[in-house]
Amino acid sequence: VRFRSLTDIQEFVALAGRQKVNLLVGSERFRVNATSFMGMFALNCKRPQKVMAECTMEELEHLRGIFGKFLEP
């Protein structure tokens, strides 16, 4: 995912908080809970970040729809 503004981060955190699956954002070495506004600021948001979730394929497709505007092409 990529964030272009503070508003993007706020929206992402709010959406993440409504999901049934736990979402982590970051890299293999450093991850934060996607529902943590403060944690998200610990990331270098000028670079694309990975989103990690333990979910089914059906849940993954649902998440792609919800977070589509933040996904890198």
Side-chain angles (χ1 to χ4, degrees):
V1 293
R2 182 178 290 274
F3 305 108
R4 290 173 171 54
S5 68
L6 176 62
T7 304
D8 279 357
I9 296 171
Q10 289 173 319
E11 184 178 349
F12 185 89
V13 168
L15 288 170
R18 294 186 210 126
Q19 305 313 306
K20 293 180 182 177
V21 298
N22 290 327
L23 300 171
L24 298 174
V25 179
S27 66
E28 296 300 322
R29 294 180 59 204
F30 184 73
R31 301 175 194 163
V32 298
N33 188 316
T35 62
S36 170
F37 191 69
M38 294 297 285
M40 294 294 284
F41 277 100
L43 301 173
N44 180 356
C45 290
K46 294 183 186 218
R47 301 178 113 170
Q49 300 293 322
K50 291 183 180 181
V51 177
M52 293 150 268
E54 288 189 31
C55 61
T56 66
M57 289 304 287
E58 185 177 295
E59 290 168 324
L60 177 60
E61 289 305 315
H62 175 73
L63 293 171
R64 283 184 177 149
I66 290 172
F67 294 106
K69 78 177 256 180
F70 305 107
L71 299 178
E72 286 283 278

